[in-house]
Amino acid sequence: MKVLIIGSGGREHALAWKARMSSRVKELYCAPGNAGMAEIGTCIDLPAEDVNALTAFSVNRGIDLVVVGPEQPLAEGIVDRMIEQNIPVFGPTAAAAKLESSKVFSKEFLYRFGIPTAAFDICASFDQALMAARKREGRCAVKADGLAAGKGVIVCREMHSAVSAIQKIIRDREFGEAGSRVVVEDLLEGQEASIMAICDGDHYILLDSSQDHKALNEGDKGPNTGGMGAYSPAPLVNPYMMRKIREKIIAPALNGMNELGCPFKGVLYAGIMIQDRNPSVLEFNVRFGDPETQPVLMRLETDLIDLIEAAITGKLHKFPGIKWVPGSAVCVVLVSGGYPGSYRKGLPITGLESIGERDDLKVFMAGVKKTGNHYLTSGGRVLGVTARGNSIRKALDLAYQSIRGIHFDDCYYRRDIGWQAVERNR
Ligand code: AMP
Ligand code: GLY
C-alpha cells in the first residue's frame, strides 16, 4: 500500500511513524514532511496547502491512502478533490470541516443540536461585540470566526482586555478576513480535556482521552502556543465522564452533521471544559490534535492503517475495537526561545542519537531541518520528546531524563507537563 501523509509537524511525524509500523504500508510519502519523516519515508516538496498539486501527485503516484494532518487543506477542500479522483482519503470534506473553519458555524451547530457549550453572541461589528462583552462584564472568550493558526481565541477576564481583543480582531483585522465576525461567549471555568473520535459518517470510535498544555509557561501562564506538551490518558476523564461525552457531545454531533447533509468522516476532536462534572464544548477541530496525537499514538497498539481504512469504508461498527498499551504517555515540546513570538532558526541540535531505538521513547520532530549530517532548528516548536510508562510519573521521568541529553541554543520547555494528572492520581 502507498500512503501519503500531509503536513510537517510533530503530529505528522507521529502519524508517519505509526503508519510505518503497519506491515501493509510498502511506500510512505510525506508532503512536505520534515527531517524526522525523511528518515522513515520519502518527502515530497509540496506545501500542505497546495491542494491541486497534492491531488495530482496522488493520482500520478497511485497513492492508496491519504491522511491529512493540518486544518488548512481540509478547509480548502483537499478531501473533496481527492474523492473526485477516487483517491481514498481520511478527513472531512470542506463542508464538514466548517466545524473548525468557522466558529460561527460551529456555535450555531452546537446550539441547534443541543450540545452543551458556552452561551454566545455572534457579532459582525465592533459595537455589537463591545455590547456582548459588556453584558459579560468583560469575562468572556473573544473568537475570530475563521482559521487563525490557533491564535484567534482571546480569553478575557476584564473589560479592558475584551476591548483590546475585539479591536485586534474586528478593527485591526489581525487575522484578516477570519476576523470579519467574532463570537463573544461566556467564560467557562474548570478543567480541559481533548477527546478525539475516529468517524466514518455514521459510527465512531473514541481514542483515549488526552490533555494538552497550550500556555507557554509553567502553571499554565503566559501566552497561548500551538501546544507545549500533552499526556494521555487524562485521569479527569473517567469512564463516567467518557460516557457523558459520548452521549451529549460526540453522538449528537455526528447525527447533526448527517441531518445537515454533510456526514462527518475523519477525526472529530472536541476540546472540552469539565465543570462540576459537566462537559461543554470549547471548540471542535476536524483533525488529529497536535501535540495530543504524539502521546495517544505512543499508546495505540492497534494498526492505525486498519483503523483509518475502516473509517473510510464506513465499517467502524465492525471494527474489533482499539487496543491500548496500559499506562500513560507524555509529550514534552522543546521550542525555540522567543516562540510564539520571533525566534532564531538554523541552530544546531545535538544529542538526538543519545535517545536510541526503544519502544517507550521517541523524539517526534517538528521544526527541524537536516543539512548533511546535522540537524538544525527551523521552526518554533522543534521537538516533541514522547515517553511511555506504567504511570504518568514514570513516563514523565523518562521524558525529562531524555531531554537532558538534547541541546540547542535558546531551547525552552515547560518542566510541569502532566502536573494535573500527577496531582489527581496522588
Ligand atoms: P479554542 O481554539 O476555541 O479551543 O480556544 C483555545 C483555548 O481558549 C481553549 O483551549 C481554552 O483554554 C480557551 N477557551 C476557549 N473558549 C473558552 C471559554 N468559553 N471559556 C474559557 N476558556 C476558553
Ligand atoms: N492541541 C490543540 C490543537 O491541535 O488544536
Side-chain angles (χ1 to χ4, degrees):
M1 193 173 188
K2 296 181 193 174
V3 175
L4 168 65
I5 312 259
I6 295 176
S8 60
R11 162 186 54 205
E12 287 80 11
H13 186 193
L15 287 165
W17 166 80
K18 189 67 192 164
R20 252 289 168 234
M21 284 186 189
S22 171
S23 56
R24 302 173 58 201
V25 176
K26 299 291 179 244
E27 291 176 38
L28 181 67
Y29 296 91
C30 311
N34 61 34
M37 295 163 89
E39 285 166 6
I40 51 176
T42 306
C43 289
I44 307 297
D45 193 16
L46 292 174
E49 297 74 31
D50 196 340
V51 168
N52 290 334
L54 289 166
T55 310
F57 170 82
S58 304
V59 171
N60 294 335
R61 198 55 62 97
I63 296 292
D64 302 297
L65 172 64
V66 178
V67 181
V68 187
E71 60 276 20
Q72 193 73 42
L74 293 168
E76 285 172 18
I78 194 164
V79 168
D80 310 65
R81 293 291 90 69
M82 295 279 181
I83 290 173
E84 280 162 19
Q85 299 296 329
N86 291 318
I87 306 274
V89 55
F90 184 57
T93 59
K98 279 184 89 179
L99 280 181
E100 175 167 2
S101 65
S102 168
K103 299 264 186 215
V104 169
F105 175 86
S106 174
K107 292 297 289 192
E108 286 177 334
F109 174 85
L110 288 161
Y111 180 72
R112 171 164 172 189
F113 292 100
I115 301 172
T117 191
F120 64 99
D121 288 295
I122 292 167
C123 312
S125 72
F126 181 84
D127 290 340
Q128 244 184 332
L130 205 60
M131 242 161 57
R134 267 206 202 104
K135 190 164 94 182
R136 295 172 170 86
E137 297 174 336
R139 292 177 54 77
C140 58
V142 181
K143 305 184 170 187
D145 176 36
L147 292 180
K151 296 180 187 115
V153 173
I154 304 172
V155 175
C156 311
R157 291 179 195 280
E158 62 286 301
M159 206 47 209
H160 80 263
S161 50
V163 174
S164 89
I166 295 165
Q167 241 156 13
K168 206 163 131 171
I169 299 177
I170 284 211
R171 198 160 270 174
D172 305 342
R173 289 292 160 93
E174 203 153 294
F175 310 110
E177 279 314 291
S180 57
R181 288 190 293 177
V182 296
V183 171
V184 176
E185 65 180 43
D186 289 0
L187 194 68
L188 298 178
E189 309 279 3
Q191 292 217 53
E192 286 184 49
S194 308
I195 300 294
M196 293 188 271
I198 306 289
C199 306
D200 71 4
D202 292 314
H203 319 96
Y204 65 92
I205 294 187
L206 291 184
L207 299 181
D208 256 5
S209 61
S210 54
Q211 187 176 29
D212 74 343
H213 292 270
K214 289 197 177 73
L216 180 66
N217 300 322
E218 278 143 39
D220 288 332
K221 303 246 159 52
N224 265 356
T225 68
M228 296 297 291
Y231 61 92
S232 169
L236 169 72
V237 185
N238 55 27
Y240 163 82
M241 187 54 61
M242 205 60 154
R243 201 180 73 223
K244 269 198 165 174
I245 291 169
R246 264 176 197 285
E247 289 171 0
K248 292 187 179 294
I249 295 170
I250 305 295
L254 280 195
N255 291 340
M257 290 305 279
N258 265 325
E259 208 173 306
L260 296 185
C262 32
F264 192 94
K265 292 189 181 191
V267 180
L268 182 62
Y269 164 127
I272 283 174
M273 183 73 90
I274 299 173
Q275 185 180 29
D276 300 330
R277 305 175 88 198
N278 287 314
S280 307
V281 176
L282 290 171
E283 65 164 340
F284 279 131
N285 293 326
V286 297
R287 51 172 172 82
F288 287 103
D290 190 348
E292 291 94 327
T293 298
Q294 290 84 314
V296 167
L297 291 187
M298 193 86 186
R299 291 188 45 242
L300 182 70
E301 241 184 80
T302 300
D303 186 314
L304 179 69
I305 301 298
D306 289 345
L307 179 61
I308 287 177
E309 199 176 57
I312 292 181
T313 53
K315 293 193 183 123
L316 278 181
H317 57 301
K318 294 189 187 144
F319 198 75
I322 296 189
K323 283 206 186 112
W324 297 100
V325 180
S328 290
V330 58
C331 170
V332 179
V333 177
L334 276 52
V335 306
S336 302
Y339 170 82
S342 58
Y343 49 83
R344 294 196 289 163
K345 287 184 190 176
L347 304 169
I349 306 168
T350 57
L352 288 172
E353 62 293 341
S354 70
I355 299 294
E357 282 294 319
R358 43 191 290 183
D359 283 350
D360 56 353
L361 180 64
K362 183 75 205 162
V363 179
F364 293 118
M365 297 192 195
V368 181
K369 246 181 30 192
K370 201 169 182 186
T371 309
N373 277 332
H374 302 287
Y375 293 104
L376 303 175
T377 64
S378 67
R381 289 195 289 174
V382 177
L383 301 169
V385 178
T386 308
R388 193 174 67 209
N390 294 336
S391 64
I392 180 83
R393 189 70 268 172
K394 290 232 165 76
L396 285 166
D397 287 347
L398 178 57
Y400 281 112
Q401 248 170 38
S402 312
I403 288 172
R404 283 198 219 122
I406 301 173
H407 297 280
F408 55 89
D409 280 355
D410 301 350
C411 171
Y412 171 77
Y413 59 93
R414 278 179 60 165
R415 267 103 175 143
D416 67 343
I417 299 303
W419 61 272
Q420 282 153 325
V422 173
E423 294 276 301
R424 192 166 275 272
N425 284 345
R426 196 177 275 161

Short mmCIF file of all heavy atoms in Angstrom, two decimals, residues 166-219:
data_model
loop_
_atom_site.label_atom_id
_atom_site.label_comp_id
_atom_site.label_asym_id
_atom_site.label_seq_id
_atom_site.Cartn_x
_atom_site.Cartn_y
_atom_site.Cartn_z
N ILE A 166 -11.25 42.68 20.92
CA ILE A 166 -12.21 42.98 19.86
C ILE A 166 -11.58 43.92 18.83
O ILE A 166 -11.74 43.73 17.62
CB ILE A 166 -13.50 43.59 20.47
CG1 ILE A 166 -14.20 42.55 21.35
CG2 ILE A 166 -14.43 44.11 19.39
CD1 ILE A 166 -15.26 43.12 22.27
N GLN A 167 -10.83 44.89 19.34
CA GLN A 167 -10.13 45.82 18.45
C GLN A 167 -9.18 45.07 17.51
O GLN A 167 -9.19 45.27 16.31
CB GLN A 167 -9.29 46.79 19.29
CG GLN A 167 -9.72 48.22 19.10
CD GLN A 167 -9.32 49.06 20.31
OE1 GLN A 167 -8.54 48.65 21.16
NE2 GLN A 167 -9.86 50.26 20.35
N LYS A 168 -8.40 44.18 18.16
CA LYS A 168 -7.39 43.42 17.42
C LYS A 168 -8.03 42.60 16.30
O LYS A 168 -7.54 42.57 15.17
CB LYS A 168 -6.73 42.47 18.43
CG LYS A 168 -5.34 42.04 18.11
CD LYS A 168 -4.71 41.46 19.38
CE LYS A 168 -4.07 40.14 19.07
NZ LYS A 168 -3.25 39.61 20.17
N ILE A 169 -9.15 41.95 16.63
CA ILE A 169 -9.73 41.02 15.65
C ILE A 169 -10.61 41.75 14.62
O ILE A 169 -10.42 41.59 13.43
CB ILE A 169 -10.55 39.90 16.37
CG1 ILE A 169 -9.63 39.10 17.31
CG2 ILE A 169 -11.19 38.97 15.35
CD1 ILE A 169 -10.33 38.03 18.12
N ILE A 170 -11.55 42.56 15.12
CA ILE A 170 -12.53 43.15 14.18
C ILE A 170 -12.00 44.44 13.54
O ILE A 170 -12.15 44.63 12.34
CB ILE A 170 -13.87 43.45 14.90
CG1 ILE A 170 -14.64 42.16 15.09
CG2 ILE A 170 -14.69 44.46 14.14
CD1 ILE A 170 -16.14 42.30 15.08
N ARG A 171 -11.37 45.31 14.33
CA ARG A 171 -10.98 46.61 13.78
C ARG A 171 -9.64 46.51 13.04
O ARG A 171 -9.53 46.92 11.89
CB ARG A 171 -10.92 47.64 14.90
CG ARG A 171 -10.96 49.04 14.35
CD ARG A 171 -11.37 50.05 15.39
NE ARG A 171 -12.81 50.27 15.46
CZ ARG A 171 -13.39 51.05 16.37
NH1 ARG A 171 -12.65 51.64 17.30
NH2 ARG A 171 -14.69 51.23 16.37
N ASP A 172 -8.63 45.93 13.70
CA ASP A 172 -7.29 45.89 13.08
C ASP A 172 -7.14 44.71 12.12
O ASP A 172 -6.14 44.61 11.42
CB ASP A 172 -6.20 45.82 14.15
CG ASP A 172 -6.30 46.96 15.16
OD1 ASP A 172 -6.98 47.95 14.82
OD2 ASP A 172 -5.74 46.84 16.27
N ARG A 173 -8.11 43.80 12.12
CA ARG A 173 -8.08 42.63 11.23
C ARG A 173 -6.75 41.88 11.30
O ARG A 173 -6.16 41.54 10.27
CB ARG A 173 -8.38 43.04 9.78
CG ARG A 173 -9.81 43.43 9.53
CD ARG A 173 -10.73 42.21 9.66
NE ARG A 173 -12.11 42.62 9.90
CZ ARG A 173 -13.02 42.79 8.95
NH1 ARG A 173 -12.70 42.56 7.70
NH2 ARG A 173 -14.23 43.17 9.26
N GLU A 174 -6.29 41.68 12.55
CA GLU A 174 -5.02 41.00 12.72
C GLU A 174 -5.02 39.61 12.08
O GLU A 174 -3.98 39.10 11.68
CB GLU A 174 -4.69 40.90 14.21
CG GLU A 174 -3.23 40.73 14.46
CD GLU A 174 -2.84 41.27 15.82
OE1 GLU A 174 -2.93 42.51 16.03
OE2 GLU A 174 -2.46 40.47 16.67
N PHE A 175 -6.17 38.97 11.99
CA PHE A 175 -6.26 37.66 11.34
C PHE A 175 -6.97 37.76 10.00
O PHE A 175 -7.56 36.81 9.51
CB PHE A 175 -6.96 36.65 12.25
CG PHE A 175 -6.41 36.63 13.64
CD1 PHE A 175 -7.15 37.12 14.71
CD2 PHE A 175 -5.13 36.14 13.88
CE1 PHE A 175 -6.62 37.12 15.99
CE2 PHE A 175 -4.60 36.14 15.17
CZ PHE A 175 -5.34 36.63 16.22
N GLY A 176 -6.93 38.94 9.40
CA GLY A 176 -7.53 39.16 8.09
C GLY A 176 -9.03 38.93 8.12
O GLY A 176 -9.70 39.21 9.12
N GLU A 177 -9.55 38.36 7.05
CA GLU A 177 -10.99 38.14 6.91
C GLU A 177 -11.55 37.16 7.95
O GLU A 177 -12.75 37.14 8.20
CB GLU A 177 -11.32 37.67 5.49
CG GLU A 177 -11.40 38.79 4.48
CD GLU A 177 -12.22 39.98 5.01
OE1 GLU A 177 -13.45 39.83 5.15
OE2 GLU A 177 -11.63 41.04 5.30
N ALA A 178 -10.65 36.35 8.54
CA ALA A 178 -11.10 35.45 9.62
C ALA A 178 -11.75 36.24 10.74
O ALA A 178 -12.53 35.71 11.53
CB ALA A 178 -9.91 34.65 10.16
N GLY A 179 -11.42 37.55 10.81
CA GLY A 179 -11.94 38.38 11.88
C GLY A 179 -13.10 39.27 11.45
O GLY A 179 -13.44 40.23 12.15
N SER A 180 -13.74 38.97 10.34
CA SER A 180 -14.85 39.83 9.92
C SER A 180 -16.08 39.61 10.82
O SER A 180 -16.94 40.47 10.92
CB SER A 180 -15.20 39.61 8.45
OG SER A 180 -15.50 38.27 8.24
N ARG A 181 -16.13 38.45 11.45
CA ARG A 181 -17.14 38.25 12.50
C ARG A 181 -16.43 37.68 13.73
O ARG A 181 -15.42 36.99 13.58
CB ARG A 181 -18.21 37.25 12.03
CG ARG A 181 -19.13 37.84 10.98
CD ARG A 181 -20.31 36.95 10.71
NE ARG A 181 -19.93 35.70 10.08
CZ ARG A 181 -20.79 34.72 9.80
NH1 ARG A 181 -22.07 34.83 10.12
NH2 ARG A 181 -20.36 33.62 9.21
N VAL A 182 -16.98 37.93 14.89
CA VAL A 182 -16.42 37.29 16.08
C VAL A 182 -17.54 36.62 16.88
O VAL A 182 -18.71 37.03 16.81
CB VAL A 182 -15.68 38.26 17.03
CG1 VAL A 182 -14.45 38.86 16.38
CG2 VAL A 182 -16.60 39.33 17.57
N VAL A 183 -17.13 35.59 17.62
CA VAL A 183 -18.02 35.01 18.61
C VAL A 183 -17.56 35.56 19.97
O VAL A 183 -16.36 35.53 20.26
CB VAL A 183 -17.91 33.46 18.62
CG1 VAL A 183 -18.66 32.87 19.80
CG2 VAL A 183 -18.43 32.89 17.30
N VAL A 184 -18.49 36.10 20.74
CA VAL A 184 -18.17 36.50 22.12
C VAL A 184 -18.96 35.56 23.01
O VAL A 184 -20.19 35.47 22.87
CB VAL A 184 -18.55 37.97 22.38
CG1 VAL A 184 -18.29 38.34 23.84
CG2 VAL A 184 -17.77 38.90 21.45
N GLU A 185 -18.28 34.82 23.86
CA GLU A 185 -19.00 33.82 24.67
C GLU A 185 -18.65 33.89 26.14
O GLU A 185 -17.63 34.46 26.53
CB GLU A 185 -18.79 32.41 24.10
CG GLU A 185 -17.37 31.90 24.18
CD GLU A 185 -17.22 30.48 23.61
OE1 GLU A 185 -17.80 30.20 22.54
OE2 GLU A 185 -16.52 29.67 24.24
N ASP A 186 -19.49 33.28 26.95
CA ASP A 186 -19.26 33.24 28.40
C ASP A 186 -17.93 32.56 28.70
O ASP A 186 -17.56 31.60 28.01
CB ASP A 186 -20.36 32.43 29.10
CG ASP A 186 -21.69 33.14 29.11
OD1 ASP A 186 -21.76 34.27 28.58
OD2 ASP A 186 -22.66 32.57 29.66
N LEU A 187 -17.29 33.03 29.73
CA LEU A 187 -16.06 32.40 30.19
C LEU A 187 -16.43 31.15 30.97
O LEU A 187 -17.28 31.19 31.85
CB LEU A 187 -15.35 33.40 31.11
CG LEU A 187 -13.91 33.09 31.44
CD1 LEU A 187 -13.05 33.24 30.19
CD2 LEU A 187 -13.43 34.05 32.51
N LEU A 188 -15.82 30.03 30.61
CA LEU A 188 -16.07 28.80 31.37
C LEU A 188 -14.86 28.53 32.27
O LEU A 188 -13.72 28.74 31.86
CB LEU A 188 -16.27 27.61 30.42
CG LEU A 188 -17.46 27.70 29.47
CD1 LEU A 188 -17.50 26.47 28.56
CD2 LEU A 188 -18.77 27.81 30.24
N GLU A 189 -15.12 28.09 33.47
CA GLU A 189 -14.02 27.72 34.37
C GLU A 189 -14.08 26.21 34.55
O GLU A 189 -15.14 25.62 34.44
CB GLU A 189 -14.18 28.38 35.74
CG GLU A 189 -14.42 29.89 35.70
CD GLU A 189 -13.15 30.71 35.53
OE1 GLU A 189 -12.06 30.10 35.38
OE2 GLU A 189 -13.25 31.94 35.53
N GLY A 190 -12.96 25.59 34.82
CA GLY A 190 -12.96 24.15 35.03
C GLY A 190 -11.68 23.56 34.52
O GLY A 190 -10.67 24.24 34.45
N GLN A 191 -11.72 22.28 34.16
CA GLN A 191 -10.53 21.61 33.65
C GLN A 191 -10.76 21.14 32.23
O GLN A 191 -11.84 20.65 31.91
CB GLN A 191 -10.20 20.43 34.55
CG GLN A 191 -9.75 20.89 35.90
CD GLN A 191 -8.66 19.98 36.43
OE1 GLN A 191 -7.65 19.76 35.74
NE2 GLN A 191 -8.85 19.45 37.61
N GLU A 192 -9.72 21.23 31.41
CA GLU A 192 -9.87 20.91 29.99
C GLU A 192 -9.39 19.51 29.67
O GLU A 192 -8.47 18.99 30.31
CB GLU A 192 -9.06 21.90 29.16
CG GLU A 192 -9.69 23.27 29.09
CD GLU A 192 -8.93 24.22 28.18
OE1 GLU A 192 -8.62 23.82 27.04
OE2 GLU A 192 -8.66 25.34 28.62
N ALA A 193 -10.01 18.91 28.67
CA ALA A 193 -9.53 17.64 28.13
C ALA A 193 -9.79 17.63 26.63
O ALA A 193 -10.62 18.39 26.12
CB ALA A 193 -10.25 16.47 28.79
N SER A 194 -9.04 16.79 25.93
CA SER A 194 -9.22 16.64 24.49
C SER A 194 -9.73 15.24 24.20
O SER A 194 -9.17 14.27 24.71
CB SER A 194 -7.89 16.83 23.75
OG SER A 194 -7.26 18.02 24.15
N ILE A 195 -10.77 15.18 23.38
CA ILE A 195 -11.33 13.88 23.00
C ILE A 195 -11.30 13.78 21.49
O ILE A 195 -11.81 14.68 20.81
CB ILE A 195 -12.79 13.76 23.51
CG1 ILE A 195 -12.85 13.89 25.03
CG2 ILE A 195 -13.43 12.45 23.02
CD1 ILE A 195 -12.18 12.78 25.81
N MET A 196 -10.72 12.71 20.98
CA MET A 196 -10.68 12.53 19.52
C MET A 196 -11.50 11.29 19.17
O MET A 196 -11.32 10.23 19.76
CB MET A 196 -9.25 12.37 19.04
CG MET A 196 -8.42 13.63 19.23
SD MET A 196 -6.79 13.54 18.46
CE MET A 196 -5.80 12.85 19.77
N ALA A 197 -12.39 11.48 18.20
CA ALA A 197 -13.22 10.37 17.74
C ALA A 197 -12.88 10.09 16.28
O ALA A 197 -12.86 11.01 15.46
CB ALA A 197 -14.70 10.72 17.87
N ILE A 198 -12.62 8.83 15.98
CA ILE A 198 -12.43 8.41 14.59
C ILE A 198 -13.83 8.16 14.05
O ILE A 198 -14.58 7.35 14.63
CB ILE A 198 -11.60 7.11 14.53
CG1 ILE A 198 -10.27 7.25 15.28
CG2 ILE A 198 -11.38 6.64 13.09
CD1 ILE A 198 -9.25 8.15 14.64
N CYS A 199 -14.21 8.83 12.96
CA CYS A 199 -15.61 8.79 12.49
C CYS A 199 -15.69 8.31 11.05
O CYS A 199 -14.84 8.65 10.23
CB CYS A 199 -16.22 10.19 12.55
SG CYS A 199 -16.09 10.96 14.17
N ASP A 200 -16.76 7.56 10.76
CA ASP A 200 -16.97 7.12 9.37
C ASP A 200 -18.25 7.71 8.77
O ASP A 200 -18.75 7.24 7.76
CB ASP A 200 -16.96 5.58 9.27
CG ASP A 200 -18.21 4.94 9.89
OD1 ASP A 200 -19.13 5.67 10.33
OD2 ASP A 200 -18.26 3.69 9.92
N GLY A 201 -18.77 8.73 9.41
CA GLY A 201 -20.01 9.34 8.92
C GLY A 201 -21.19 8.95 9.79
O GLY A 201 -21.97 9.79 10.22
N ASP A 202 -21.30 7.64 10.09
CA ASP A 202 -22.40 7.16 10.93
C ASP A 202 -21.93 6.66 12.28
O ASP A 202 -22.63 6.77 13.27
CB ASP A 202 -23.11 5.99 10.21
CG ASP A 202 -23.83 6.48 8.97
OD1 ASP A 202 -24.52 7.52 9.06
OD2 ASP A 202 -23.68 5.85 7.91
N HIS A 203 -20.75 6.06 12.30
CA HIS A 203 -20.25 5.45 13.53
C HIS A 203 -18.95 6.11 13.95
O HIS A 203 -18.31 6.79 13.15
CB HIS A 203 -20.00 3.95 13.33
CG HIS A 203 -21.07 3.27 12.53
ND1 HIS A 203 -20.95 3.06 11.18
CD2 HIS A 203 -22.29 2.81 12.89
CE1 HIS A 203 -22.05 2.48 10.73
NE2 HIS A 203 -22.88 2.32 11.74
N TYR A 204 -18.58 5.87 15.20
CA TYR A 204 -17.32 6.45 15.66
C TYR A 204 -16.68 5.52 16.69
O TYR A 204 -17.35 4.70 17.30
CB TYR A 204 -17.54 7.83 16.27
CG TYR A 204 -18.38 7.80 17.53
CD1 TYR A 204 -17.78 7.69 18.78
CD2 TYR A 204 -19.77 7.85 17.46
CE1 TYR A 204 -18.55 7.63 19.94
CE2 TYR A 204 -20.54 7.79 18.61
CZ TYR A 204 -19.93 7.68 19.84
OH TYR A 204 -20.69 7.61 20.98
N ILE A 205 -15.37 5.67 16.81
CA ILE A 205 -14.64 5.00 17.89
C ILE A 205 -13.83 6.08 18.59
O ILE A 205 -13.12 6.86 17.94
CB ILE A 205 -13.70 3.91 17.33
CG1 ILE A 205 -14.52 2.78 16.70
CG2 ILE A 205 -12.79 3.37 18.43
CD1 ILE A 205 -13.69 1.58 16.26
N LEU A 206 -13.95 6.14 19.90
CA LEU A 206 -13.21 7.17 20.64
C LEU A 206 -11.79 6.71 20.91
O LEU A 206 -11.56 5.56 21.29
CB LEU A 206 -13.88 7.44 21.99
CG LEU A 206 -15.24 8.14 21.96
CD1 LEU A 206 -15.71 8.41 23.38
CD2 LEU A 206 -15.19 9.43 21.17
N LEU A 207 -10.85 7.60 20.71
CA LEU A 207 -9.49 7.34 21.17
C LEU A 207 -9.45 7.68 22.66
O LEU A 207 -10.32 8.38 23.17
CB LEU A 207 -8.49 8.20 20.40
CG LEU A 207 -8.46 7.96 18.88
CD1 LEU A 207 -7.42 8.85 18.22
CD2 LEU A 207 -8.15 6.49 18.58
N ASP A 208 -8.42 7.20 23.34
CA ASP A 208 -8.29 7.53 24.76
C ASP A 208 -8.15 9.04 24.93
O ASP A 208 -7.66 9.73 24.03
CB ASP A 208 -7.08 6.80 25.37
CG ASP A 208 -7.53 5.61 26.22
OD1 ASP A 208 -8.75 5.33 26.24
OD2 ASP A 208 -6.67 4.97 26.85
N SER A 209 -8.55 9.53 26.10
CA SER A 209 -8.54 10.97 26.35
C SER A 209 -7.11 11.49 26.43
O SER A 209 -6.15 10.72 26.60
CB SER A 209 -9.23 11.25 27.68
OG SER A 209 -8.52 10.59 28.72
N SER A 210 -6.98 12.79 26.32
CA SER A 210 -5.68 13.42 26.48
C SER A 210 -5.88 14.84 26.97
O SER A 210 -7.02 15.32 27.06
CB SER A 210 -4.91 13.42 25.15
OG SER A 210 -5.70 14.00 24.15
N GLN A 211 -4.79 15.46 27.33
CA GLN A 211 -4.87 16.86 27.71
C GLN A 211 -3.65 17.56 27.17
O GLN A 211 -2.55 17.01 27.23
CB GLN A 211 -4.93 17.02 29.23
CG GLN A 211 -5.20 18.46 29.62
CD GLN A 211 -5.37 18.67 31.11
OE1 GLN A 211 -4.81 17.94 31.90
NE2 GLN A 211 -6.14 19.68 31.47
N ASP A 212 -3.83 18.74 26.61
CA ASP A 212 -2.65 19.48 26.14
C ASP A 212 -2.41 20.68 27.04
O ASP A 212 -3.28 21.06 27.82
CB ASP A 212 -2.74 19.85 24.66
CG ASP A 212 -3.72 20.97 24.39
OD1 ASP A 212 -4.57 21.25 25.27
OD2 ASP A 212 -3.66 21.56 23.30
N HIS A 213 -1.21 21.21 26.95
CA HIS A 213 -0.85 22.41 27.69
C HIS A 213 -0.59 23.49 26.66
O HIS A 213 0.44 23.48 26.00
CB HIS A 213 0.42 22.17 28.52
CG HIS A 213 0.25 21.19 29.64
ND1 HIS A 213 -0.13 21.57 30.89
CD2 HIS A 213 0.40 19.86 29.68
CE1 HIS A 213 -0.20 20.50 31.68
NE2 HIS A 213 0.12 19.44 30.96
N LYS A 214 -1.55 24.41 26.52
CA LYS A 214 -1.41 25.42 25.47
C LYS A 214 -0.53 26.59 25.89
O LYS A 214 0.11 27.21 25.06
CB LYS A 214 -2.79 25.96 25.09
CG LYS A 214 -3.65 24.96 24.34
CD LYS A 214 -4.81 25.65 23.63
CE LYS A 214 -5.62 24.67 22.83
NZ LYS A 214 -6.46 23.79 23.67
N ALA A 215 -0.54 26.91 27.20
CA ALA A 215 0.16 28.11 27.64
C ALA A 215 1.67 27.90 27.60
O ALA A 215 2.18 26.80 27.82
CB ALA A 215 -0.29 28.49 29.05
N LEU A 216 2.40 28.98 27.33
CA LEU A 216 3.85 28.93 27.17
C LEU A 216 4.57 28.55 28.46
O LEU A 216 5.55 27.82 28.46
CB LEU A 216 4.34 30.30 26.68
CG LEU A 216 5.84 30.46 26.45
CD1 LEU A 216 6.29 29.58 25.29
CD2 LEU A 216 6.20 31.92 26.17
N ASN A 217 4.07 29.07 29.58
CA ASN A 217 4.85 28.97 30.81
C ASN A 217 4.25 28.03 31.84
O ASN A 217 3.06 27.69 31.77
CB ASN A 217 5.03 30.35 31.42
CG ASN A 217 5.75 31.29 30.47
OD1 ASN A 217 6.68 30.87 29.78
ND2 ASN A 217 5.31 32.53 30.40
N GLU A 218 5.09 27.65 32.79
CA GLU A 218 4.65 26.74 33.84
C GLU A 218 3.48 27.31 34.62
O GLU A 218 3.31 28.52 34.70
CB GLU A 218 5.85 26.43 34.76
CG GLU A 218 6.71 25.34 34.14
CD GLU A 218 8.20 25.49 34.36
OE1 GLU A 218 8.60 25.89 35.44
OE2 GLU A 218 8.94 25.19 33.40
N GLY A 219 2.64 26.41 35.13
CA GLY A 219 1.44 26.84 35.83
C GLY A 219 0.37 27.32 34.85
O GLY A 219 -0.55 28.04 35.22
#
